[in-house]
Amino acid sequence: EARTKDIQKMIHSCALLNLKIDSKDLSKIEDMVVARTTSPEYSSFFDHYVNSALSLWILDYKCIKLSKILLSDQRFCSSGMKSRIKLDSRMKLLQTCIEIESPELLLNYSSSFDETRRSPGYLIKTSLERVMTQRFKNHRNASFVQPILNLNIAGILVMNERDGSRVHYEVLDDLTSLSDQSPNGLMQLKLRLLRSKMCTVELVKVD
């Protein structure tokens, strides 16, 4: 009898905690949410369905059935008022995930992945600056990047002049890790998407 709102809150929490959940259980949750897309709740609370899909995707469950329904809804591709910026950002991140991991679902492609995309200043945290200063201060081929559009976690890209190889250094700090210093859900998503693009990744822990 749970509402979609309750379901999405539960799996959102699981996603942030980067819990390992059996795909059969996640499939049942997806079916529960899909079944509710025929109810008035879908018309009135579309965001709950988007949040559910994104949380499932963060949990490494590609909710194809639910995503197809959302992608066919014009609300999924339309931005709202400034008060909806946070909600719209989740729709955009979900679309980025779909584009990178299940592009066959999309008719049009954007530039969601760009390994060398420069990071905007507001994403460059103190911990990231510290790693740059301590490890790559004199490295002219080190830069702050945001390779995955709509996933607002910057990293450091270091390019080797001799062979052209690239390494992404991803920083685990109090915003990107859990209490046991493992990556939280969003950071784990970033690592997975980078590796799916055959990027070399190294984790750096910062106290």
Side-chain angles (χ1 to χ4, degrees):
E1 298 299 323
R3 300 170 298 177
T4 305
K5 178 180 180 179
D6 302 320
I7 296 172
Q8 68 92 15
K9 280 186 176 181
M10 184 271 292
I11 56 175
H12 176 69
S13 299
C14 293
L16 291 181
L17 291 171
N18 195 22
L19 297 182
K20 307 305 177 187
I21 301 176
D22 191 281
S23 60
K24 292 181 180 179
D25 293 324
L26 294 176
S27 177
K28 292 177 182 178
I29 292 174
E30 180 189 17
D31 288 341
M32 290 172 65
V33 177
V34 167
R36 286 162 170 76
T37 59
T38 59
S39 70
E41 189 180 16
Y42 179 70
S43 299
S44 302
F45 301 104
F46 181 68
D47 296 322
H48 298 334
Y49 295 82
V50 173
N51 292 340
S52 295
L54 177 58
S55 295
L56 288 168
W57 214 284
I58 291 172
L59 288 165
D60 201 11
Y61 178 80
K62 299 173 181 62
C63 47
I64 303 300
K65 290 181 287 187
L66 179 57
S67 295
K68 284 181 176 180
I69 294 171
L70 298 177
L71 288 168
S72 66
D73 193 305
Q74 66 179 30
R75 290 174 291 179
F76 188 77
C77 299
S78 61
S79 295
M81 301 177 291
K82 288 185 178 180
S83 61
R84 285 188 48 85
I85 288 177
K86 187 174 182 179
L87 295 171
D88 287 342
S89 69
R90 293 172 183 169
M91 289 196 289
K92 292 174 182 176
L93 178 54
L94 175 58
Q95 190 163 9
T96 290
C97 293
I98 293 172
E99 180 184 325
I100 292 175
E101 294 192 307
S102 294
E104 68 279 1
L105 297 179
L106 299 174
L107 295 176
N108 300 309
Y109 297 89
S110 58
S111 55
S112 291
F113 179 78
D114 180 351
E115 193 172 4
T116 61
R117 181 188 288 114
R118 295 281 178 168
S119 171
Y122 65 86
L123 291 183
I124 302 173
K125 301 172 294 182
T126 303
S127 58
L128 204 60
E129 291 179 325
R130 194 191 320 166
V131 172
M132 178 68 86
T133 300
Q134 293 175 350
R135 300 187 61 165
F136 307 113
K137 182 177 181 180
N138 299 317
H139 202 306
R140 62 181 180 179
N141 290 323
S143 58
F144 296 114
V145 295
Q146 184 195 11
I148 300 170
L149 194 65
N150 302 313
L151 208 171
N152 295 328
I153 303 176
I156 297 172
L157 175 64
V158 177
M159 302 178 66
N160 188 316
E161 286 186 332
R162 288 177 296 178
D163 59 12
S165 61
R166 299 169 176 174
V167 178
H168 289 265
Y169 290 86
E170 301 300 327
V171 175
L172 288 178
D173 56 20
D174 58 345
L175 294 177
T176 57
S177 63
L178 301 171
S179 59
D180 63 356
Q181 294 190 312
S182 65
N184 64 19
L186 281 176
M187 176 56 92
Q188 188 62 44
L189 172 66
K190 181 182 182 182
L191 298 175
R192 190 179 86 227
L193 295 179
L194 284 173
R195 288 166 178 152
S196 75
K197 287 295 186 177
M198 308 306 293
C199 295
T200 300
V201 179
E202 288 197 22
L203 287 175
V204 180
K205 294 183 179 180
V206 176
D207 295 328

